[in-house]
Amino acid sequence: MPDTPPEPVPTDAPPPAQGGPVDSGEIILWHVPLSRSMRILWLLNELELPFALRVMDLRSKDMRGAEYEAIHPVGRAPALQIDGSVIHESGAMVEYLCETRGPHLWRGPGAEGRLGWLDWLHFAETLGQHIANLTQSHLMLRDPSMRSHTVMKLETARLGRALRMVEQTVKGQDWLMAGGFSGVDCAVGWSVWTAGRFVRLTPALQAYADRCTARPAFRRALPQEGEPQLYERDFYELPDA
């Protein structure tokens, strides 16, 4: 009688890293310069952690190849190998890194400011989605006939409106949390800085972006010489209707 294969063991862990042996102590970040994966590169630098960086080009075929598909089946960035598994959502990466490596940048369960910290962490995705839509329209749809001026105008307005929530906070304090810089500033701060390519930042938002970019860890997360550049311009005007 043939052996019966064992039943899979239920687990809540993210999938294990693929493509060969995994050093459970090694941290690897797959990163597209200037994309939302920069938030994780910035945070890793803030935490002064040892890690390996795999720089990818959004326009190349590398992200759609079999090798990277084994890391990220959706073919997007970032992907973060840590503790023997791979995380695929940047918000989860921020929370896990702060929880396990940087509690001074976290607000754990029961801590003062916990609710606000979580709210900002997830609000970063609201900003990030508007930025992603505008990036696709301005950069990826190079043929003007493929673009919708109406959609681009709406997304620009929605991004500007979403930024008001950040502005209300940073008008009265330097960072999103009253206690000082934290992991959510990496998530939201990148979004505000990048949003400035599509909307004109108010003085309060520009000052917040300037505080972010002045941090040494942020500067270390900027593209290095020879790395692919996602954005070719400092500002993208809405095309004519």
Side-chain angles (χ1 to χ4, degrees):
M1 181 176 179
D3 292 338
T4 302
E7 291 292 327
V9 179
T11 177
D12 291 328
Q18 303 294 313
V22 173
D23 177 353
S24 61
E26 185 177 26
I27 298 174
I28 302 174
L29 175 66
W30 286 265
H31 165 61
V32 172
L34 297 182
S35 76
R36 71 179 67 191
S37 63
M38 182 177 167
R39 303 187 296 189
I40 309 308
L41 181 55
W42 177 9
L43 180 56
L44 287 168
N45 281 308
E46 289 283 354
L47 295 171
E48 298 183 337
L49 295 174
F51 64 94
L53 187 64
R54 304 286 186 265
V55 175
M56 310 189 74
D57 186 345
L58 193 63
R59 298 178 179 87
S60 76
K61 297 180 180 180
D62 293 344
M63 298 183 70
R64 299 185 295 276
E67 183 177 352
Y68 189 59
E69 186 177 354
I71 302 296
H72 199 317
V74 183
R76 296 180 180 175
L80 181 70
Q81 176 183 300
I82 187 169
D83 296 336
S85 293
V86 175
I87 311 177
H88 304 94
E89 284 294 325
S90 57
M93 295 173 198
V94 171
E95 186 163 7
Y96 189 75
L97 283 168
C98 290
E99 177 184 350
T100 61
R101 269 77 171 177
H104 59 294
L105 301 181
W106 188 45
R107 300 294 186 274
E112 183 177 355
R114 166 72 170 176
L115 183 59
W117 195 91
L118 285 175
D119 196 30
W120 282 122
L121 177 65
H122 293 280
F123 187 71
E125 289 306 310
T126 296
L127 295 170
Q129 189 57 49
H130 293 311
I131 291 168
N133 290 341
L134 287 167
T135 298
Q136 177 171 278
S137 293
H138 282 283
L139 277 69
M140 305 304 170
L141 303 180
R142 295 187 178 274
D143 185 343
S145 66
M146 300 173 67
R147 301 172 181 162
S148 167
H149 179 269
T150 300
V151 170
M152 294 173 75
K153 186 176 180 180
L154 283 171
E155 282 297 314
T156 302
R158 288 167 178 160
L159 176 58
R161 184 169 185 174
L163 287 167
R164 294 179 198 168
M165 182 167 159
V166 184
E167 182 181 19
Q168 290 172 2
T169 296
V170 298
K171 271 183 176 179
Q173 59 194 44
D174 286 348
W175 304 107
L176 295 174
M177 303 301 297
F181 181 86
S182 73
V184 293
D185 288 297
C186 292
V188 175
W190 171 88
S191 298
V192 172
W193 177 69
T194 305
R197 296 184 186 272
F198 303 109
V199 299
R200 303 295 181 184
L201 299 181
T202 65
L205 287 170
Q206 187 61 60
Y208 173 63
D210 290 345
R211 288 192 290 275
C212 291
T213 60
R215 297 185 70 86
F218 181 96
R219 295 198 295 269
R220 291 198 298 273
L222 290 168
Q224 302 299 303
E225 185 176 354
E227 290 183 351
Q229 294 277 351
L230 178 58
Y231 298 104
E232 300 167 349
R233 308 178 200 165
D234 292 333
F235 191 80
Y236 290 82
E237 298 279 359
L238 273 173
D240 295 333

